Amino acid sequence: TGEASFDYQSTEPLILFGSRVDGSNNCTANAAPADQAVLSGIDQFPVLRINANAGATGAWSLAHLTIAHGLATQTNVGGLNLRALPGSGAIMSVINLIVRDCDSNGDANPQASAMRAYVESTSSSIRILGSVFRDNRSSQYTPVLLTGAAGSGISFSNNTVAFNWADATTVPGSAAEYAVSTGGGLSVLLSNNVFHANVRGTDQSPADFATDTSFVSVQMDHNHINALSAAGVVDNFRTQGDPRFVSNSDLRLRVNSPLRNSGNNSPQGGLWNVDLEGSLRVQGGVADRGAYEFSELLINGFE
């Protein structure tokens, strides 16, 4: 259709699940690490558009996948465009995804380069859990957009958002977008997220999360975030500084990370039972923040 490499618009629930294969190369019911099932736009095409149409019900889910190298245009989201249309009653979940290296290639004001989650029905909801958004670039807008109609809601929990570049071609003083931005009149609930080294504008000033609280209701707790544009929003138990990733290319936590055993065990949207690599969550009694759960066995010398 030209809208996306994979375009699904229906009232019937959709489940896309990256699974391990057995010795005969057959799919199993066991989750694969997200980086082993890759959907790519090869820097030329949008990757996924998924719409729950009017009348849609049930659980929709995308899990244990990588969405990479999607190209956004002025009207098309480059990575994942997830939308619950008016009249829908779908419960849509994004769980343990990696969304990386999406771009907008200079087009003016694309909707988002990496992901747009859009809820237009108060009977539908979207939750985004345990996912990584990294190295996405939007020329004149935001890499990740959370938006919806008044009375709708999006939960965004235990995600790692790092090294994204908003408003990449916009000069200093004019750049207004952040790595993750909100719009519409919805309620946004953010818990246990890690934001690090996200920037905006040609001067690459820090820019993690932004919301306009005059028309968006925001609740935040246990987030690790440095550059926040959300006047009047209280982020309970917020921390700042170096999250102490293993490296800039490996966003797992080091043993001395302040994010270990520091989250909320009952975050908005729920807590998935495994992390991005399929490791058990929770370990150590308290959930780690971000998409990765540190293996407490490593402390005791086991690998």
Side-chain angles (χ1 to χ4, degrees), residues 211 213 218 220 228-235:
T211 185
T213 54
V218 178
M220 304 178 70
L228 174 66
S229 176
V233 174
V234 176
D235 189 359

Side-chain angles (χ1 to χ4, degrees), residues 46-217:
V47 181
L48 293 176
R49 181 174 71 165
I50 299 172
N51 287 353
N53 290 339
T57 58
W60 300 50
S61 63
L62 305 175
H64 305 285
L65 300 167
T66 291
I67 297 172
H69 295 283
L71 179 64
T73 67
Q74 190 167 358
T75 57
N76 301 322
V77 176
L80 171 62
N81 190 2
L82 189 65
R83 188 173 183 180
L85 273 69
S88 64
I91 308 302
M92 308 181 83
S93 298
V94 172
I95 301 170
N96 292 359
L97 257 62
I98 298 172
V99 184
R100 62 174 175 83
D101 298 299
C102 295
D103 199 348
S104 61
N105 201 31
D107 273 19
N109 198 32
Q111 298 170 68
S113 65
M115 185 182 76
R116 182 183 71 160
Y118 189 9
V119 189
E120 298 182 86
S121 170
T122 56
S123 297
S124 290
S125 63
I126 293 177
R127 61 176 184 163
I128 302 160
L129 309 179
S131 297
V132 164
F133 301 88
R134 63 164 305 151
D135 299 301
N136 300 294
R137 180 183 183 274
S138 183
S139 300
Q140 297 182 45
Y141 202 47
T142 182
V144 177
L145 176 62
L146 311 176
T147 187
S152 64
I154 294 177
S155 300
F156 191 85
S157 299
N158 275 103
N159 302 293
T160 297
V161 183
F163 306 109
N164 300 285
W165 190 359
D167 266 354
T169 60
T170 305
V171 298
S174 298
E177 304 302 336
Y178 281 57
V180 178
S181 299
T182 64
L186 82 167
S187 296
V188 181
L189 311 171
L190 293 95
S191 303
N192 290 358
N193 299 293
V194 178
F195 293 80
H196 178 66
N198 301 290
V199 298
R200 64 173 176 167
T202 55
D203 63 338
Q204 300 188 41
S205 58
D208 289 327
F209 175 74
T211 185
D212 186 342
T213 54
S214 63
F215 62 93
V216 175
S217 172

Side-chain angles (χ1 to χ4, degrees), residues 17-22 25-28 30-40 63-68 96-100 275-279 292:
F17 182 92
S19 69
R20 296 180 187 271
V21 295
D22 61 21
N25 208 35
N26 297 312
C27 288
T28 72
N30 298 317
D35 60 358
Q36 292 187 9
V38 181
L39 309 177
S40 177
H64 305 285
L65 300 167
T66 291
I67 297 172
N96 292 359
L97 257 62
I98 298 172
V99 184
R100 62 174 175 83
D275 75 352
L276 197 66
E277 294 186 305
S279 299
Y292 295 97

